[in-house]
Amino acid sequence: MTKPCIFCEIAAGRMNAEIVHEDEHVVAFRDIHPQAPVHVLIIPRKHISSMLEIAPEDAELLGHMHLTARKLARDLGIAEGGYRSIFNCGTDAGQTVWHIHLHLMGGRSMGWPPWPGN
Ligand code: 5GP
Ligand code: ZN
């Protein structure tokens, strides 16, 4: 049997996560290993394994994910200071969970470009 996708499990409420937002299309929860004072993952309820797999019909969903990041940045107090919203796509980019997720990070100053350590 193939292993269930952990982010599908979280979206379905079968696995614990500290959820900060959910609606019909997306779920947002705190990253288990936060890399910034605020580090939230925004996922679609629909399983899409990587950003290489998005299709034209997902455009509205992806827009909704970014609008959710903007709302949460305000709600969680990082809108003024600034935040990063990132999709890691593929192994070289550091993708480890194969269900797309938008990282929303803020609450500290971050380096650029994102060499190791930043
Ligand atoms: P990626 O490396 O794929 O861009 O990001 C995956 C993220 O998911 C990592 O930051 C990792 O800490 C987080 N993560 C992995 N497993 C879990 C989990 O079971 N629960 C939560 N809340 N975060 C997880
Ligand atoms: Zn999934």
Side-chain angles (χ1 to χ4, degrees):
M1 213 175 96
T2 52
K3 261 172 71 177
C5 165
I6 55 170
F7 286 0
C8 281
E9 292 297 293
I10 287 173
R14 287 189 292 267
M15 205 174 130
N16 269 352
E18 198 184 328
I19 290 173
V20 294
H21 170 88
E22 60 183 319
D23 62 38
E24 192 185 342
H25 302 292
V26 303
V27 180
F29 51 91
R30 304 230 184 230
D31 196 291
I32 203 164
H33 293 127
Q35 302 300 316
V38 173
H39 188 174
V40 163
L41 304 173
I42 301 162
I43 67 166
R45 290 191 184 276
K46 174 183 178 185
H47 180 88
I48 303 172
S49 61
S50 95
M51 289 301 282
L52 277 179
E53 303 300 327
I54 58 172
E57 63 264 26
D58 299 319
E60 199 171 328
L61 177 61
L62 292 161
H64 182 60
M65 290 173 75
H66 282 287
L67 288 168
T68 303
R70 170 179 173 267
K71 173 198 155 19
L72 288 176
R74 288 192 171 138
D75 292 353
L76 299 174
I78 56 171
E80 288 294 309
Y83 64 90
R84 229 172 240 177
S85 50
I86 309 166
F87 281 108
N88 291 326
C89 180
T91 309
D92 277 357
Q95 185 176 359
T96 57
V97 177
W98 300 89
H99 178 134
I100 62 167
H101 45 281
L102 183 58
H103 292 261
L104 170 66
M105 301 167 72
R108 69 168 171 89
S109 95
M110 287 172 256
W112 190 264
W115 307 139
N118 287 332

